[in-house]
Amino acid sequence: MTAPRTFRTFFTTAVTAHRRRIFQVDANANLLIQLLQEHRNQSRFSLHAYVVLPDHIHLLLTPASDVTIEKAMQLIKGGFSFRFKSKLPVWQGSFTMHRVENDRDYATHLNYIHANPVHAHLCIYPDEFPFSSAFPAALIDPMPSYFDHRSQSADR
C-alpha cells in the first residue's frame, strides 16, 4: 500500500559541510537538540525520532499542515547555522528525504535512527547515546495516528 498524500511524515538526513564533525562537541549537539525542541514546542512539526551524530543527523518528523518538509528543514538547518555562528559553511546544501508510507516503514526508520550510534560505535545500547530520541530523557511525539495499524486493518 502506498502512502496517500495526507501522510506527511518523513525520514530525513542532513550532512554537515565537508563532513566536519561539528556535533562531536556536546555543546553543539545540545544546541541542535534545543532548536529541534523549540520548533516542536511551537508546533512547526512533530518530532518522532532523531539522532545527532558527529557529522550528520537523521530525523523522523511530521511538518505542521502549513509547513512543507523543505521549510521544516530550512528552519532546522538555517536556525542551527544562525545560532552556531560559524564563518565556515555548516551544512551541505541539500538533504535527503523519504516519505514514510505505513506503520512498518515508520518502525524501520525509527529502528534505524536508534541503532545508528550503536553501528557507529558511539555506544553499546541505543538508550545510552544522549543525542538520540532513544535516550530516556528525550522529548518526542508519538507515531501519527494515521499509521496506527488497527485503523488500517480494512486496507490490508
Side-chain angles (χ1 to χ4, degrees), residues 7 10 12 20 46 48 56 63 75-76 85-86 104 148:
F7 284 21
F10 297 89
T12 65
R20 287 178 44 219
S46 295
H48 309 292
H56 68 285
L75 291 168
I76 295 164
K85 300 182 187 329
S86 176
R104 290 179 306 272
D148 184 347

Side-chain angles (χ1 to χ4, degrees), residues 3-155:
R5 300 290 291 157
T6 56
F7 284 21
R8 299 191 66 243
T9 300
F10 297 89
F11 168 74
T12 65
T13 301
V15 179
T16 60
H18 308 291
R19 287 264 182 193
R20 287 178 44 219
R21 297 174 65 83
I22 293 170
F23 302 117
Q24 186 168 314
V25 176
D26 289 1
N28 298 342
N30 284 323
L31 179 65
L32 179 63
I33 292 170
Q34 177 185 5
L35 178 78
L36 290 170
Q37 291 301 328
E38 287 174 15
H39 288 303
R40 177 183 169 265
N41 292 338
Q42 294 167 355
S43 300
R44 292 193 171 127
F45 52 74
S46 295
L47 182 63
H48 309 292
Y50 65 87
V51 66
V52 181
L53 296 159
D55 63 359
H56 68 285
I57 63 172
H58 295 296
L59 307 171
L60 190 58
L61 57 86
T62 303
S65 60
D66 61 340
V67 177
T68 64
I69 186 60
E70 293 82 6
K71 179 64 176 175
M73 292 305 291
Q74 178 186 18
L75 291 168
I76 295 164
K77 291 171 60 178
F80 178 81
S81 296
F82 178 77
R83 291 182 186 189
F84 187 56
K85 300 182 187 329
S86 176
K87 294 184 194 264
L88 300 172
V90 176
W91 300 99
Q92 288 183 2
S94 61
F95 65 95
T96 61
M97 69 173 177
H98 164 79
R99 183 186 300 264
V100 178
E101 296 184 5
N102 54 43
D103 56 337
R104 290 179 306 272
D105 196 21
Y106 182 95
T108 297
H109 286 92
L110 178 73
N111 291 334
Y112 176 83
I113 288 170
H114 289 165
N116 220 262
V118 174
H119 293 138
H121 306 290
L122 298 172
C123 60
I124 296 173
Y125 301 104
D127 63 353
E128 296 174 337
F129 191 65
F131 311 116
S132 166
S133 54
F135 193 69
L139 300 174
I140 55 170
D141 296 300
M143 178 176 70
S145 60
Y146 51 73
F147 288 136
D148 184 347
H149 69 278
R150 291 171 298 222
S151 66
Q152 295 179 13
S153 60
D155 296 334

